Amino acid sequence: MPVNTPGKPYINHQSNSAETKASRRSAKRWLLPLLVGASSIGLLACGGAPDPAEQFNFSETPIAIAIHGGAGTITRESMSPEREAQFQAALEEALAAGYAVLETGGSSVDAVIAAIELMEENPLFNAGRGAVYTYEGTHELDASIMHGATREAGAIAGVTRIQNPIKAARAVMENSRHVLLSGTGAETFAREQDLAMVHNSYFNTEHRFEQLQRARENMQMNATLPVHEAYASVNWDPAFNMGTVGAVALDVEGNIVAGTSTGGMTAKQYGRIGDSPIIGAGTWADNESCAVSATGHGEYFIRYQVAADICSRVKYLGESIEQAGAYVIHEVLMPIGGTGGVIILDAAGNVSMPFNTEGMYRGAKTSANGMEIGIYK
């Protein structure tokens, strides 16, 4: 097999006191371009564009973004220093891109798209350019996005030619009456939206092709077992089940958004769809609770509606995002063999990133705590 080697308005329902704060935030957003314009014609004494930090009081209106690049068997022993540095740089780049949108008053939707798009274009990650192979040796990609103010959502599944699936998910959310589009229909819609289309070989990478060969060998070794038992056998590498990118963001308007994108499971068959494009399983956002993007063995995340369950525990049980995330990831999923992790963000700018695997590529940057990058447990 040849392998290439290398809008709708958003409404935030708030109390009267919150509406007053929202009005102040809105006024600041309108003032920012005016001040920038004034500075460009010499009306500001100091000259030059104003520092974004001076335009927004982030202690009053916090901003935050968190990202993940997949969970699985990730240890220092299995990672070369060079590859670790590559992942570190890629996570920092995606965080910086998303945070730059937020600190200049941009929307959480734009921040999530900016971060995920960079990871989709980086072959290190199982999304977009670095998507894993199906059993037949092609690539089928999934993505979704959800807005916490209105619960509007968009998703695409099983697409083979859309260069940036997360952009297609956004187009479904903003420009379609549907939530989830799949296959050739989703690609027709993407072309109508003038999104970039590529040949399926665009997603080919050598290291993913090697993963496919190993996965096929393992499946042949377990040919006498039912598929679900073969996937759980001692010979099956859990890394074949893993790999997703995602982001959650909070903007100065107080809106939270979650997005997720993936190439799915190595050697997946029969048009398999995982949790990433399923609203409630791999992606969820609600201003009244939290935003979640998940990565892991998708079948379990679908069956247990992981993303929505975490936010429901926050909303209805009054748990913190740390409590809710830890319970679902460690107490619900682990006993039944559900491996993976999530990134969680609430409307106050708090971040939690629990996982039950040996590692998860992850990072966060907030106006309160700066940047944090993690790989290992």
Side-chain angles (χ1 to χ4, degrees):
M1 179 180 302
V3 178
N4 293 346
T5 57
K8 298 176 185 177
Y10 297 123
I11 302 170
N12 186 8
H13 301 287
Q14 305 181 26
S15 64
N16 290 336
S17 60
E19 289 173 356
T20 301
K21 292 182 179 179
S23 297
R24 290 199 299 268
R25 289 194 295 265
S26 180
K28 291 175 181 177
R29 292 192 68 191
W30 283 107
L31 280 172
L32 177 59
L34 293 176
L35 289 170
V36 172
S39 67
S40 67
I41 58 174
L43 294 182
L44 291 181
C46 295
D51 184 343
E54 296 177 0
Q55 300 304 307
F56 304 103
N57 181 355
F58 290 137
S59 63
E60 180 182 327
T61 58
I63 58 172
I65 184 169
I67 62 173
H68 69 77
T73 307
I74 306 168
T75 64
R76 295 184 190 277
E77 293 74 21
S78 63
M79 181 91 66
S80 69
E82 294 78 16
R83 193 163 180 81
E84 180 176 339
Q86 290 175 340
F87 275 107
Q88 178 91 11
L91 292 169
E92 289 181 2
E93 181 185 27
L95 274 176
Y99 194 83
V101 172
L102 298 172
E103 69 177 349
T104 54
S107 73
S108 45
V109 171
D110 287 338
V112 163
I113 297 295
I116 292 180
E117 182 180 0
L118 278 177
M119 291 189 285
E120 286 181 337
E121 294 174 353
N122 190 323
L124 286 172
F125 301 109
N126 175 19
R129 185 72 177 86
V132 298
Y133 285 80
T134 67
Y135 188 84
E136 292 75 21
T138 60
H139 309 274
E140 297 175 358
L141 297 87
D142 314 319
S144 63
I145 190 168
M146 185 172 185
H147 198 290
T150 60
R151 292 202 188 180
E152 289 181 325
I156 51 97
V159 300
T160 62
R161 299 194 61 193
I162 300 174
Q163 180 172 336
N164 291 108
I166 192 62
K167 288 185 174 180
R170 178 184 187 168
V172 173
M173 178 177 72
E174 295 181 342
N175 302 325
S176 167
R177 67 181 185 275
H178 305 300
V179 170
L180 174 60
L181 302 181
S182 67
T184 56
E187 290 171 359
T188 297
F189 174 77
R191 283 191 293 269
E192 292 173 350
Q193 297 296 306
D194 294 324
L195 297 179
M197 309 296 288
V198 295
H199 190 274
N200 193 247
S201 62
Y202 167 85
F203 306 109
N204 290 357
T205 53
E206 186 64 37
H207 73 288
R208 297 300 185 195
F209 186 66
E210 292 172 357
Q211 276 189 335
L212 173 63
Q213 302 313 304
R214 297 203 316 273
R216 283 173 168 173
E217 291 171 3
N218 279 324
M219 293 177 77
Q220 290 168 3
M221 291 173 62
N222 294 285
T224 59
L225 296 174
V227 173
H228 68 280
E229 291 184 22
Y231 281 150
S233 76
V234 68
N235 297 311
W236 186 257
D237 186 345
F240 299 150
N241 302 336
M242 306 292 182
T244 304
V245 304
V248 290
L250 167 68
D251 62 28
V252 292
E253 296 295 332
N255 293 319
I256 52 178
V257 168
T260 311
S261 181
T262 189
M265 177 189 291
T266 301
K268 61 185 179 181
Q269 295 175 280
Y270 318 118
R272 179 262 187 186
I273 303 297
D275 64 306
S276 296
I278 306 301
I279 301 301
T283 302
W284 184 259
D286 177 4
N287 280 7
E288 296 182 5
S289 55
C290 61
V292 174
S293 175
T295 175
H297 194 159
E299 278 68 15
Y300 293 94
F301 283 68
I302 293 172
R303 287 161 52 197
Y304 287 84
Q305 284 289 283
V306 166
D309 187 29
I310 289 171
C311 292
S312 292
R313 297 185 70 86
V314 172
K315 187 172 183 177
Y316 300 115
L317 297 182
E319 294 181 350
S320 68
I321 59 173
E322 291 82 4
Q323 292 171 323
Y327 179 82
V328 173
I329 294 301
H330 297 292
E331 303 300 326
V332 175
L333 288 180
M334 274 295 284
I336 49 98
T339 51
V342 293
I343 52 174
I344 318 169
L345 174 67
D346 66 22
N350 300 307
V351 174
S352 183
M353 300 182 283
F355 55 97
N356 59 29
T357 54
E358 292 186 75
M360 182 171 78
Y361 301 112
R362 62 199 187 276
K365 186 172 184 179
T366 73
S367 52
N369 298 316
M371 182 182 290
E372 168 193 356
I373 299 288
I375 296 179
Y376 312 106
K377 182 172 288 187

